[in-house]
Amino acid sequence: MSMAANFVRISQQQLDQLNADPSAVEAFADELFEGDVGDSVCDVDKSWQTIHYLLTGQAWGGQSPAAQAIMGGTEIGPDLGYGPVRCLDADQVKRVATALNEISAEELANRFDAEAMESQGIYAFSAEDADEELEMAKDYFNQLKDFYQETANREQAMLLLIV
């Protein structure tokens, strides 16, 4: 089983409701993925930690708004297998979107260090496939960047799930 990261666009009102009743998060997530998600979900598959590393230079953590893009937010609800869902309110989404807009995929490529990434145990990363890994990370980063910007433009919140 793999750990894929999904980002879900929701209204601030939906987020407020989930914060008021965190026990509803699991049912909300299950229901969401049973239906047609349309443009409300961005999936970066197994490249989530590679992207985080390229944004922060760290396998985990970081305080900058860009560091919040993958592993940020506030935990909400029960552990769904790879930890609880995390959420960003609409203001936090705007800050992350602004930070991501200042970074290009080419800048990420310049930060790419296959040996360092492998030594830090970046999830699903293999230095043997470094060129392919970099191309996937750049593609997923661009999708994620666009998703954050559109979510910010809509003044919506976001859920971050690793499933």
Side-chain angles (χ1 to χ4, degrees):
M1 194 148 116
S2 66
M3 296 179 359
N6 291 274
F7 303 82
V8 182
R9 181 183 297 137
I10 64 172
S11 70
Q12 185 62 49
Q13 181 181 7
Q14 287 173 303
L15 178 57
D16 293 343
Q17 290 169 345
L18 291 173
N19 276 321
D21 182 11
S23 66
V25 170
E26 187 170 14
F28 180 85
D30 289 345
E31 185 177 310
L32 176 76
F33 288 107
E34 286 177 4
D36 178 19
V37 296
D39 71 345
S40 65
V41 174
C42 178
D43 178 0
V44 299
D45 198 36
K46 296 180 281 184
S47 293
W48 57 273
Q49 196 174 26
T50 296
I51 296 168
H52 179 78
Y53 177 85
L54 295 174
L55 289 171
T56 66
Q58 302 175 55
W60 302 100
Q63 298 302 314
S64 72
Q68 303 303 302
I70 303 288
M71 298 181 185
T74 303
E75 290 183 351
I76 181 174
D79 185 325
L80 300 181
Y82 298 113
V85 171
R86 290 179 321 284
C87 60
L88 298 171
D89 66 27
D91 289 334
Q92 291 170 311
V93 168
K94 287 178 187 176
R95 285 193 293 276
V96 172
T98 299
L100 294 181
N101 280 334
E102 295 174 2
I103 302 167
S104 69
E106 291 71 35
E107 283 181 73
L108 287 188
N110 290 336
R111 301 173 184 178
F112 193 82
D113 182 340
E115 289 179 17
M117 293 168 67
E118 193 164 64
S119 73
Q120 289 197 34
I122 301 300
Y123 178 73
F125 180 81
S126 168
E128 283 182 19
D129 301 319
D131 291 339
E132 182 180 327
E133 299 271 358
L134 175 57
E135 290 308 310
M136 280 192 323
K138 286 172 32 180
D139 182 50
Y140 282 130
F141 170 73
N142 283 328
Q143 290 176 40
L144 184 65
K145 182 175 167 176
D146 291 345
F147 189 76
Y148 263 98
Q149 187 58 56
E150 182 60 28
T151 304
N153 290 345
R154 294 180 185 190
E155 298 185 0
Q156 290 185 305
M158 193 176 297
L159 297 179
L160 295 72
L161 301 86
I162 295 182
V163 293

